[in-house]
Amino acid sequence: LAAIGYVFMIDVKPKGIVRPVLGETVREEIDVLADRLMRHVEVLAGEIGERNLFRPQGLAAAAEYIRGVWRARGFPVREEPFEVGRQRAVNLIVELPGSSRLEEIVLVGAHYDSLIGTAGANDNATGVAVLLEMPALLQRTTPTRTLRFVAFAVEEPPFFKTEAMGSRVHARDARRRGEAIVAMISLETLGYYSEAPGSQRYPFPFGAFYPDRGNFLAAVGNPASRPLLVEFLRHFTEATDFPVEGAALFPWIPGVDWSDHWSFWKEGYPALMVTDTAPYRYPHYHSPLDLPDKVNVREFARAAHGIIGAVARLAGPGAGP
């Protein structure tokens, strides 16, 4: 049973992939991307700060910033309003229609709210920053599948893993409309990396199989999303030399369903979370110290570059899975 579990849940890395050697041009692109990403993090977690339904002015300011960035780059922004109690919240959506398989949707999402009492730099301004940069960068790739980018409101407690989450609103409506979401990628807490021994922890017994240094990006799916996970890991390793680990785990393992991908699992869609592993690595998780200066800028940008490259390949010519 242990061997079967290892092969199915943990041994998901594609074989025979030659990691790319990144040239000077790519390194310069990553430097530019780092500056742009951190500008978004500084605005969301520095200038705006706490943003949630208990600080609605912050949530509204974050929504306006996201809307403004996308519109300034020429993208129409669709709004998906909903109510939580008597308060209004809104998901923000940009789409790039596919060229030949436009009915198949690759959805990338990140929640833009922060926990009560926190500025949420890593959780989750880093995820939103990557989301904001993706449409302009991927527009150049002429995707075969439709790319949908969604900034979700209302992910954090006390609404976490309830029907009130913005991602639940979107996933339920997508299923009701019969949409073919073939891949959902949740961008969650992407900005903290460490080379220190013992900097990475895991729920038992996964520490026996994975590195003890928190220097990698993690991609996590459920068993039903295993084919998508394998495909994402293949595309990521083709796009970058940044370290990555993956696992297809049961949702009852702590941390596996702790983001917006859970909402899409509930509707039977294949979905992954990409993350720096949040509380298993980041010492300021859900803390008032989760501020922009805690983000490891270079590693964050390298991970983001790989994620963007993987999403481009998921949506591009010959896209799988």
Side-chain angles (χ1 to χ4, degrees):
L1 287 175
I4 292 170
Y6 174 82
V7 170
F8 187 80
M9 293 193 296
I10 297 169
D11 187 19
V12 294
K13 279 192 174 179
K15 306 302 188 291
I17 301 294
V18 178
R19 302 304 295 268
V21 177
L22 303 185
E24 186 61 31
T25 300
V26 174
R27 288 195 292 270
E28 290 174 359
E29 289 175 358
I30 293 173
D31 289 340
V32 171
L33 180 61
D35 290 341
R36 298 187 73 95
L37 292 173
M38 286 309 298
R39 174 57 184 158
H40 299 317
V41 173
E42 291 284 354
V43 171
L44 290 166
E47 297 176 20
I48 296 174
E50 183 180 346
R51 49 201 185 277
N52 50 57
L53 290 180
F54 301 92
R55 190 176 180 276
Q57 66 272 30
L59 193 66
E64 185 57 34
Y65 178 73
I66 293 165
R67 189 184 294 112
V69 168
W70 276 339
R71 285 179 175 168
R73 296 180 183 178
F75 297 108
V77 180
R78 179 162 62 91
E79 298 194 0
E80 186 176 52
F82 59 99
E83 287 191 356
V84 180
R86 296 185 177 181
Q87 290 184 274
R88 182 183 185 274
V90 62
N91 297 328
L92 302 167
I93 304 163
V94 162
E95 281 196 351
L96 301 178
S99 60
S100 61
R101 299 163 67 179
L102 72 167
E103 75 285 352
E104 297 180 6
I105 300 168
V106 174
L107 189 154
V108 185
H111 71 89
Y112 65 91
D113 59 321
S114 68
L115 184 70
I116 299 167
T118 73
N122 197 22
D123 183 17
N124 188 34
T126 53
V128 176
V130 177
L131 186 75
L132 286 172
E133 289 300 310
M134 271 197 187
L137 293 172
L138 296 185
Q139 188 178 40
R140 312 169 188 169
T141 66
T142 315
T144 303
R145 290 168 162 168
T146 293
L147 277 164
R148 178 180 297 172
F149 307 95
V150 189
F152 297 118
V154 191
E155 187 265 3
E156 294 286 4
F159 308 106
F160 178 63
K161 291 182 71 175
T162 73
E163 295 302 302
M165 289 172 64
S167 56
R168 281 298 291 133
V169 171
H170 191 86
R172 284 197 311 267
D173 286 351
R175 179 57 75 192
R176 177 179 52 80
R177 292 188 295 265
E179 291 184 338
I181 297 175
V182 297
M184 187 276 172
I185 309 297
S186 177
L187 307 175
E188 177 65 58
T189 315
L190 296 172
Y192 189 80
Y193 302 90
S194 175
E195 292 289 347
S199 56
Q200 182 66 54
R201 298 178 297 108
Y202 307 89
F204 179 82
F206 296 98
F209 306 105
Y210 289 104
D212 74 338
R213 299 171 190 257
N215 62 356
F216 59 88
L217 181 75
V220 181
N222 62 356
S225 302
R226 190 179 192 276
L228 171 61
L229 174 63
V230 174
E231 194 73 9
F232 176 87
L233 292 171
R234 180 170 70 85
H235 292 322
F236 186 91
T237 52
E238 288 171 343
T240 182
D241 61 355
F242 194 77
V244 65
E245 300 288 344
L249 304 174
F250 296 108
W252 48 261
I253 297 170
V256 169
D257 60 359
W258 289 358
S259 191
D260 293 299
H261 59 303
W262 169 83
S263 297
F264 292 81
W265 288 352
K266 294 280 284 184
E267 300 299 329
Y269 288 121
L272 307 177
M273 170 176 60
V274 292
T275 179
D276 65 11
T277 76
Y280 292 109
R281 178 189 306 172
Y282 184 47
H284 310 298
Y285 177 72
H286 280 187
S287 155
L289 295 178
D290 183 10
L291 299 170
D293 64 350
K294 306 304 189 301
V295 174
N296 304 132
V297 179
R298 180 67 182 177
E299 291 80 4
F300 171 38
R302 290 178 63 208
H305 179 264
I307 294 167
I308 294 167
V311 171
R313 288 164 171 79
L314 277 175

